């Protein structure tokens, strides 16, 4: 089954404790991206990757890191989480074809930082 | 002005009704437009792409008006299962990688 998986699905942590949210896709997509979703603000892009070893900042990259060492994986790293990073996080992937960029989303990771 | 603006709703409509959502975008260079559907705090899923000539998929019709910079979604014969939040999504012209999501319009279909 074609899918994007994220782990963990739920995480409660404390300020300053480094964490990683994993994202993996099995569709051989070149493009992967991380979003956060907050009430009233919609989905905002954190980082994206056009291919292996190619990453770039989205709209709200502060406090986050990513890496793309393999095509299928795109982990999101919070080196020193803070309460304002409490949010619902989605990973997404898509093919890079001209015109259509349907994004396939993972099920989401609900992160709470206390 | 927000890059993508939608009426947050909620739109409460009876089953069988026709309902329309509009979405305005500010970047005139945008080239790709989509409607996504999101059920309560679940992942968004593509409902349909929006083409210049307009397109229809069953009970759903999407239209694009480049001159006025808005897109619309029409749902005919609403079903209870259509209850969800509908997200308007626009790419930033020339950059395939950057999509801007609206905050969504919530639809509640009732008996």
């Amino acid at each position: 089954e074609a899918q994007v998986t994220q782990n963990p699905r739920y995480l409660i942590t404390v300020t300053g404790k480094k964490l990683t949210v994993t994202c993996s896709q099995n569709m051989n997509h070149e493009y992967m991206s991380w979003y956060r979703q907050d009430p009233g603000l919609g989905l905002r892009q954190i980082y994206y990757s056009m291919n292996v070893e190619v990453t770039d900042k989205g709209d709200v990259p502060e406090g986050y890191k990513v890496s793309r060492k393999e095509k299928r994986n795109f982990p999101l790293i919070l080196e020193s989480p803070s309460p304002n990073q409490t949010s619902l996080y989605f990973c997404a992937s898509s093919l890079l074809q001209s015109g259509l960029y349907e994004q396939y989303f993972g099920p989401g990771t609900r992160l709470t930082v206390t | 002005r927000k890059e993508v603006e939608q009426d947050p709703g909620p739109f409460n409509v009876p089953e069988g009704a026709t309902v329309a959502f509009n979405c305005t975008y500010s970047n005139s260079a945008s080239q790709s437009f989509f409607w996504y559907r999101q059920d309560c705090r679940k992942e968004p899923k593509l409902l349909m792409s929006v083409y210049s000539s307009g397109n229809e998929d069953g009970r759903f019709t999407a239209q694009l008006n480049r001159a006025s910079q808005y897109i619309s979604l029409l749902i005919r014969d609403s079903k209870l299962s259509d209850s969800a939040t509908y997200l308007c999504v626009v790419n930033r012209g020339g950059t395939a990688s950057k999509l801007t999501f609206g905050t969504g319009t919530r639809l509640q279909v009732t008996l």
Side-chain angles (χ1 to χ4, degrees):
Chain A
E1 181 191 352
Q3 60 182 352
V4 179
T5 56
Q6 293 179 229
N7 281 292
R9 296 288 313 280
Y10 303 91
L11 179 60
I12 301 174
T13 190
V14 296
T15 298
K17 187 177 181 182
K18 181 179 178 179
L19 66 93
T20 299
V21 184
T22 64
C23 173
S24 184
Q25 50 92 6
N26 62 0
M27 295 169 278
N28 202 35
H29 285 167
E30 297 90 358
Y31 176 85
M32 297 186 75
S33 182
W34 276 102
Y35 297 88
R36 60 178 289 174
Q37 187 173 33
D38 303 289
L41 296 176
L43 278 146
R44 293 179 293 168
Q45 190 177 51
I46 302 171
Y47 269 96
Y48 65 94
S49 171
M50 304 285 272
N51 215 322
V52 176
E53 302 292 359
V54 181
T55 63
D56 207 348
K57 296 177 180 178
D59 298 310
V60 288
E62 294 77 23
Y64 305 94
K65 284 175 57 177
V66 293
S67 68
R68 187 92 181 271
K69 294 184 171 58
E70 304 165 283
K71 197 172 187 178
R72 63 184 292 126
N73 296 323
F74 190 44
L76 180 69
I77 303 156
L78 284 73
E79 294 271 4
S80 183
S82 62
N84 65 12
Q85 292 178 298
T86 292
S87 188
L88 177 59
Y89 291 87
F90 289 105
C91 179
S93 72
S94 70
L95 286 167
L96 283 179
Q97 294 174 335
S98 62
L100 298 178
Y101 303 104
E102 177 181 358
Q103 301 220 357
Y104 295 83
F105 285 82
T109 296
R110 189 173 295 278
L111 172 65
T112 302
V113 183
T114 61
Chain B
R1 183 184 174 187
K2 286 184 180 178
E3 286 191 59
V4 176
E5 290 202 67
Q6 296 182 249
D7 182 340
F11 284 59
N12 294 300
V13 302
E15 224 180 355
T18 296
V19 61
F21 309 136
N22 282 336
C23 164
T24 58
Y25 61 95
S26 61
N27 188 343
S28 59
S30 295
Q31 297 167 355
S32 301
F33 309 89
F34 311 90
W35 284 102
Y36 277 72
R37 170 193 169 129
Q38 185 175 26
D39 294 297
C40 189
R41 301 310 263 175
K42 292 195 173 180
E43 72 271 26
K45 292 184 179 178
L46 181 68
L47 178 67
M48 57 198 303
S49 302
V50 186
Y51 304 119
S52 296
S53 55
N55 47 303
E56 189 174 309
D57 183 2
R59 298 182 293 108
F60 299 84
T61 300
Q63 298 276 358
L64 167 64
N65 185 318
R66 285 190 186 273
S68 301
Q69 293 183 210
Y70 76 83
I71 66 175
S72 64
L73 177 68
L74 182 77
I75 305 175
R76 290 181 299 278
D77 189 22
S78 299
K79 312 289 186 192
L80 292 174
S81 57
D82 293 333
S83 298
T85 296
Y86 292 84
L87 306 176
C88 171
V89 184
V90 176
N91 89 315
R92 299 178 204 176
T95 305
S97 52
K98 295 206 172 195
L99 297 178
T100 301
F101 287 75
T103 53
T105 298
R106 194 155 70 87
L107 172 65
Q108 184 66 49
V109 182
T110 57
L111 287 170

